């Protein structure tokens, strides 16, 4: 095992605590909106000009507020008494074609087990003065989109894609073969691991639709059992385990003018993936990304909208796997912006129409998401962590190459919505001590106005502890980032128990200088509550996490979680080097991949941790999703020894200390069966443990967060 080197000191130190004020309590954190940021609802740029809009709920009822940045004029569109809308309808989102004054208004949303939101939508043409349901039968629909020309709307219902002519109300079925095994315009569950649910795209002119057709008929079905009835009810769905068949991907284009559908055939193997589609700037060509089943080769194809003229534009390869992004941006001259880790670090490239790739950025740092472009002035905007891995800044580079400019200056976390013309940004900023603010900026960073600067007014009323960022060096010279949260009345002469937290997957990150960390404010506030209760809270990112280059991420290839465990052992050595840490009282908690890490630390790294809570843990990767695991591990047939080393069932006899397993029986992501299988192995090894089960709850156990975190608090209090 590696051993920890000396601490390198604080990378960024914030005040340990505000000593005056109210104490945090669990009910306030998890059941109130005390710490919910008061930000404009559904804030977005309107697609046709430099105008932004948001939902407002004032004394006169719900309204849509828009503001013209150039002309400086505002507009209020009252929704309280629109004829045709149901009385008292809560409008939760909208799509607005300002040029035609056409709106789509969304009512309350119901999310299904897969995360798709269904809602009733209404079409409102301001000139007509009356709203009408998007469907005559007013059924809830999914993935609704207004066409770029404002003349049509599309949606998915029962795995079929439909188009509505907003001028006549006529509805056309684009597909008709959707059923429990065929998915049109929407992804089957096993294909959502690429990170998106939406399976269709309007062309830029609104004249065509590109969509995925996913045939999951051969994919094995997995049952989830609802026991809260006189007789159990079963919901089963297609779930491809590693090494098994997944849905067959196909791409289609529907032409609204001819009502004809064309197949885009790139000649891919049925076992491969087509993870991304993008239209070119004219709507005459489609870019199709093609990823081989082993995740090692990514090809970018360009095809005519009629399926003709298919050509290979670019190819990326990697010895381990290729991460799929949504960074492709088509430009007016037929070139595209593209990000690739081909150099060993993700950087921005411009690929010309003849397939030549020009690097726009370079160096030992990583480009994050592409935010947008200003083609008139010749800039591409993107996120990166070039100077500090814990901060996210906005950068830009000329579309023809040149020096990279950092646009934002304040340390912390910056998020931008760039206007369609690339000239303005709706910019949020926060740090670990400061809730988010919202400003209107020029794209060069100049502040034009402040839209929200006191989003969580109650924050300063509480005497809470605050995050301190630290770094330490491993025994082999790798600098790792971490944070600690000390009790508000911290006394360096005392020795404190520790509750550690982690996730650890390759390319992930938990140590970030932002409000709410990466999992939202409630989890962060719970950590501060634990510090208030007398614990030191500690978290760290291992050497395979984000911003360290592709070679660092590839260290995890073939043996998931190896460096998450080894580097956390180094983290314990770092903690033991601090005189105010009680090294005999170190606990850990984690969720999902972090749940795996919690169970792994209590077995593979025993006895360094006295107690751990493992929520929804992945245990045996041979029984997990094909897309999510094979990129890191290959298939079980290719890598049986690696899968065996990762499987914690094989290490159950090593458990030491107190372990609490928590899982929802309705978890569609990380199966409840994982926890049962691990529990069975622990019992067979005669190991004592505790377990809490939440009936029918999905992966996030969203309905019972207070109960979950109250239970974890009690468990640490009793055993640490």
């Amino acid at each position: 095992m590696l051993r920890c080197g000396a601490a390198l000191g604080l990378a960024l130190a914030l005040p340990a605590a505000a000593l005056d004020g109210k104490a945090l309590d669990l009910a306030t954190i998890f059941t109130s909106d005390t710490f919910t940021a008061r930000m404009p609802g559904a804030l977005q740029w309107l697609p046709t000009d430099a105008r932004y809009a948001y939902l407002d709920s004032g004394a006169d009822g719900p309204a849509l507020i828009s503001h013209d940045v150039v002309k400086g004029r505002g507009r209020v569109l009252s929704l309280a008494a629109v004829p045709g809308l149901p009385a008292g309808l809560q409008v939760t989102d909208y799509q607005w074609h300002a040029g035609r004054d056409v709106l789509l208004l969304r009512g309350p949303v119901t999310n299904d087990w897969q995360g798709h939101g269904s809602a009733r939508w209404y079409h409102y043409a301001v000139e007509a003065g009356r709203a009408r349901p998007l469907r005559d039968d007013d059924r809830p629909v999914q993935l609704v989109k207004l066409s770029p020309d404002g003349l049509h709307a599309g949606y998915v219902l029962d795995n079929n894609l439909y188009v509505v002519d907003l001028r006549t109300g006529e509805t056309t079925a684009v597909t008709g073969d959707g059923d429990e095994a065929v998915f049109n315009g929407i992804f089957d569950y096993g294909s959502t691991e690429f990170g998106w649910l939406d399976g269709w795209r309007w062309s830029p002119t609104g004249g065509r639709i590109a969509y995925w057709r996913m045939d999951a008929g051969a994919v094995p079905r997995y049952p989830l059992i609802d026991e809260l009835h006189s007789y159990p009810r079963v919901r089963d769905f297609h779930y491809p385990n590693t090494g098994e068949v997944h849905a067959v991907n196909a791409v289609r284009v529907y032409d609204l003018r001819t009502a004809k559908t064309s197949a885009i055939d790139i000649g891919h193997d049925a076992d491969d993936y087509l993870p991304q589609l993008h239209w070119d700037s004219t709507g005459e060509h489609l870019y199709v990304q093609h990823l081989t089943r082993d995740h090692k080769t990514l090809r970018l194809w360009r095809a005519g909208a009629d399926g003709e003229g298919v050509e290979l534009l670019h190819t990326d390869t990697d010895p381990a796997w290729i991460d799929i992004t949504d960074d492709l941006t088509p430009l007016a001259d037929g070139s595209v912006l593209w990000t690739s880790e081909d150099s060993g670090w993700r950087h921005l490239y411009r690929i010309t129409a003849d397939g030549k790739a020009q690097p726009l950025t370079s160096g030992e740092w990583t480009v994050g998401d592409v935010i947008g472009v200003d083609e008139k002035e010749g800039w591409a905007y993107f996120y990166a962590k070039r100077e500090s891995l814990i901060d996210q800044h906005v950068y830009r580079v000329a579309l023809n190459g040149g020096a990279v400019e950092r646009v934002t200056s304040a340390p912390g976390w910056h998020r931008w919505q760039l206007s369609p013309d690339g000239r303005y940004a709706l910019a949020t900023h926060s740090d670990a001590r400061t809730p988010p603010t919202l400003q209107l900026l020029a794209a060069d960073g100049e502040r034009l106005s402040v839209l929200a600067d006191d989003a969580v007014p109650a924050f300063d009323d509480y005497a809470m502890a605050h995050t301190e960022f630290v770094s330490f060096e491993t025994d082999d010279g790798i600098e790792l980032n971490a944070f600690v949260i000390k009790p508000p009345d911290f006394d360096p002469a005392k020795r404190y128990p520790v509750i550690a937290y982690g996730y650890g997957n390759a390319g992930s990150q938990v140590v970030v200088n932002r409000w709410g960390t990466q999992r939202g404010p409630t989890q962060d506030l719970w950590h501060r509550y634990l510090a208030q209760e007398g614990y030191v809270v500690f978290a760290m990112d291992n050497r395979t996490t984000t911003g360290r280059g592709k070679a660092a991420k590839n260290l995890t290839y073939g043996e998931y979680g190896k460096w998450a465990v080894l580097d956390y052992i180094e983290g314990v050595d770092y903690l033991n080097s601090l005189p105010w840490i009680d090294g005999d009282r170190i606990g850990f908690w984690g969720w999902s991949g972090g749940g795996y890490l919690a169970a792994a630390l209590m077995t593979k790294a025993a006895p360094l941790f006295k107690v751990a809570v493992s929520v929804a843990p992945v245990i045996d990767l041979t029984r997990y999703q094909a897309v999510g695991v094979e990129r890191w591990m290959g298939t079980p047939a290719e890598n049986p020894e690696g899968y065996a080393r990762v499987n914690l069932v094989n290490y159950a006899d090593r458990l030491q200390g107190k372990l609490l397993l928590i899982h929802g029986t309705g978890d569609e992501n990380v199966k409840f069966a994982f926890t049962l299988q691990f529990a069975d192995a622990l019992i067979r090894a005669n190991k004592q443990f505790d377990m809490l089960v939440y009936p029918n709850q999905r992966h996030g156990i969203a309905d019972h967060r207070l109960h979950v975190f109250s239970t974890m608090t009690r468990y640490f209090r009793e055993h640490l």
Side-chain angles (χ1 to χ4, degrees):
M1 295 293 186
L2 296 173
R3 287 293 169 239
C4 180
L8 297 182
L10 298 182
L12 171 63
L14 299 174
L19 294 177
D20 298 325
K22 296 187 289 186
L24 285 168
D25 65 89
L26 295 176
T28 299
I29 294 172
F30 291 103
T31 63
S32 79
D33 63 356
T34 301
F35 296 104
T36 301
R38 273 65 168 175
M39 303 290 274
L43 178 69
Q44 59 186 264
W45 289 103
L46 300 184
T48 54
D49 50 22
R51 279 207 284 168
Y52 63 86
Y54 58 92
L55 287 170
D56 186 53
S57 181
D60 297 328
L64 261 174
I65 313 296
S66 69
H67 183 80
D68 189 310
V69 175
V70 177
K71 298 177 181 178
R73 292 202 301 259
R75 179 185 179 189
V76 178
L77 182 62
S78 175
L79 303 176
V82 172
L85 287 181
L89 176 73
Q90 179 190 4
V91 176
T92 60
D93 200 3
Y94 61 94
Q95 297 177 38
W96 190 352
H97 191 287
R100 297 187 185 277
D101 241 358
V102 169
L103 293 101
L104 299 180
L105 302 172
R106 187 183 74 182
V109 178
T110 300
N111 289 310
D112 64 17
W113 62 271
Q114 192 176 350
H116 288 290
S118 296
R120 292 178 173 85
W121 283 77
Y122 299 87
H123 164 225
Y124 177 39
V126 176
E127 183 178 342
R130 184 174 184 83
R132 66 186 185 203
L134 194 58
R135 280 186 61 89
D136 291 339
D137 58 10
D138 203 18
R139 287 181 63 188
V141 293
Q142 300 171 313
L143 300 174
V144 175
K145 298 181 197 176
L146 183 64
S147 64
D149 58 10
L151 299 177
H152 297 85
Y155 62 83
V156 173
L157 177 65
D158 295 334
N159 291 341
N160 281 309
L161 184 60
Y162 296 84
V163 172
V164 181
D165 188 323
L166 298 179
R167 296 160 295 186
T168 65
E170 181 182 359
T171 298
T172 300
V174 175
T175 67
D177 61 345
D179 56 24
E180 59 83 25
V182 174
F183 299 76
N184 293 295
I186 191 169
F187 282 105
D188 69 293
Y189 179 75
S191 302
T192 59
E193 271 295 293
F194 287 111
W196 34 84
L197 305 174
D198 174 12
W200 69 279
R201 309 281 186 267
W202 279 113
S203 68
T205 61
R208 297 184 175 102
I209 288 173
Y211 66 94
W212 279 268
R213 181 184 186 275
M214 319 291 289
D215 185 346
V219 178
R221 300 181 69 87
Y222 188 83
L224 293 177
I225 301 174
D226 178 358
E227 300 276 9
L228 300 183
H229 304 278
S230 297
Y231 291 90
R233 300 176 183 176
V234 178
R235 184 192 78 226
D236 62 350
F237 59 100
H238 300 280
Y239 190 113
N241 284 345
T242 52
E244 296 178 352
V245 65
H246 59 77
V248 177
N249 296 214
V251 175
R252 303 283 188 265
V253 173
Y254 176 77
D255 192 314
L256 274 67
R257 293 160 292 189
T258 64
K260 293 182 178 179
T261 300
S262 301
I264 307 297
D265 184 4
I266 62 171
H268 68 290
D269 190 286
D271 217 25
D272 292 343
Y273 304 102
L274 304 178
Q276 270 290 20
L277 300 178
H278 292 84
W279 285 101
D280 75 348
S281 60
T282 67
E284 297 298 323
H285 293 87
L286 190 67
Y287 297 105
V288 180
Q289 295 184 34
H290 164 211
L291 182 68
T292 54
R293 175 69 185 254
D294 63 8
H295 295 260
K296 297 179 188 296
T297 302
L298 176 64
R299 298 183 178 96
L300 178 63
W301 298 84
R302 181 175 55 202
D306 58 0
E308 300 297 324
V310 177
E311 58 181 335
L312 179 63
L313 191 64
H314 182 76
T315 302
D316 272 355
T317 61
D318 191 274
W321 78 90
I322 294 175
D323 285 318
I324 301 300
T325 73
D326 192 22
D327 291 333
L328 188 148
T329 306
L331 302 178
D333 67 351
S335 64
V336 297
L337 293 183
W338 174 264
T339 61
S340 170
E341 293 180 294
D342 184 62
S343 69
W345 301 81
R346 183 166 296 281
H347 279 294
L348 187 62
Y349 296 80
R350 184 172 183 173
I351 302 176
T352 62
D354 59 1
K356 295 179 181 178
Q358 174 196 2
L360 301 183
T361 64
S362 62
E364 293 187 354
W365 54 277
T366 296
V367 167
D369 296 336
V370 174
I371 304 169
V373 298
D374 177 355
E375 288 201 70
K376 182 178 180 181
E377 298 298 326
W379 293 105
Y381 291 83
F382 58 91
Y383 299 120
K385 300 166 185 173
R386 190 172 63 167
E387 290 81 17
S388 165
L389 290 182
I390 67 172
D391 297 310
Q392 176 171 279
H393 284 284
V394 175
Y395 299 78
R396 68 180 184 179
V397 67
L399 290 173
N400 291 324
V404 172
E405 298 180 12
R406 195 176 95 182
V407 181
T408 53
S409 57
W413 207 263
H414 297 267
R415 294 289 297 178
W416 276 23
Q417 290 186 58
L418 199 66
S419 61
D421 61 7
R423 296 176 58 195
Y424 306 99
L426 296 168
T428 60
H429 169 260
S430 70
D431 59 42
R433 177 62 180 86
T434 310
T437 60
L438 174 65
Q439 299 180 355
L440 173 67
L441 304 179
D444 63 1
E446 178 189 358
R447 186 173 72 184
L448 302 179
S449 62
V450 177
L451 304 181
D453 64 353
D454 191 20
V456 187
F459 183 73
D460 291 330
D461 296 338
Y462 285 79
M464 64 178 68
H466 294 300
T467 304
E468 300 176 33
F469 294 98
V470 301
S471 62
F472 64 92
E473 190 173 285
T474 65
D475 202 36
D476 60 342
I478 305 297
E479 185 178 342
L480 300 179
N481 292 325
F483 70 69
V484 295
I485 306 176
K486 301 173 185 174
D489 57 352
F490 176 74
D491 181 352
K494 294 182 179 179
R495 299 180 73 228
Y496 293 89
V498 176
I499 297 177
Y501 167 74
Y503 188 68
N505 287 3
S508 66
Q509 188 177 23
V510 299
V511 182
V512 289
N513 185 20
R514 64 184 288 188
W515 164 253
T517 68
Q518 92 293 1
R519 292 293 189 187
T522 55
Q523 179 175 302
D524 179 45
L525 290 164
W526 181 64
H527 282 160
R528 300 176 192 230
Y529 171 82
L530 293 175
Q532 174 186 288
E533 296 298 293
Y535 301 98
V536 167
V537 176
F538 174 79
M540 58 166 282
D541 287 325
N542 68 67
R543 68 187 65 198
T544 73
T545 50
T546 195
R548 297 176 177 274
K550 192 57 167 70
K553 289 195 294 185
N554 285 0
L555 290 173
T556 201
Y557 185 69
E559 192 165 342
Y560 169 91
K562 173 183 175 180
W563 288 104
V565 173
L566 291 180
D567 280 345
Y568 232 108
I569 293 171
E570 299 256 8
V572 170
D573 284 345
Y574 164 68
L575 289 171
N576 284 328
S577 74
L578 304 174
W580 34 270
I581 293 297
D582 184 347
D584 294 326
R585 299 171 65 197
I586 299 178
F588 185 92
W589 84 278
W591 200 304
S592 192
Y596 173 90
L597 182 55
L601 291 173
M602 294 299 287
T603 52
K604 291 185 173 185
L608 293 180
F609 292 84
K610 183 179 181 181
V611 56
V613 180
S614 172
V615 187
V618 184
I619 298 294
D620 177 4
L621 295 186
T622 66
R623 305 179 187 188
Y624 198 37
Q625 301 162 358
V627 175
V629 173
E630 288 178 14
R631 65 169 69 113
W632 291 326
M633 294 289 295
T635 66
E638 297 165 339
N639 183 23
E641 295 85 3
Y643 275 88
R645 286 192 296 269
V646 168
N647 187 352
L648 294 182
V649 167
N650 298 329
Y651 298 87
D653 60 342
R654 297 189 187 182
L655 175 67
Q656 296 187 49
K658 297 292 295 185
L659 175 63
L660 171 62
L661 301 173
I662 296 177
H663 217 132
T665 66
D667 192 334
E668 78 295 343
N669 179 356
V670 179
K671 303 167 184 173
F672 174 53
F674 285 143
T675 287
L676 291 181
Q677 289 152 8
F678 190 47
D680 180 67
L682 292 170
I683 293 167
R684 292 176 184 277
N686 197 31
K687 295 293 183 179
Q688 296 296 315
F689 64 99
D690 298 293
M691 190 163 78
L692 174 61
V693 174
Y694 286 92
N696 295 339
Q697 286 298 295
R698 295 177 56 207
H699 191 55
I701 317 182
D703 297 332
H704 305 301
R705 302 288 281 189
L706 175 60
H707 193 277
V708 172
F709 284 89
S710 296
T711 299
M712 291 198 292
T713 301
R714 173 183 57 79
Y715 200 76
F716 284 121
R717 185 180 294 134
E718 292 177 354
H719 300 295
L720 190 62

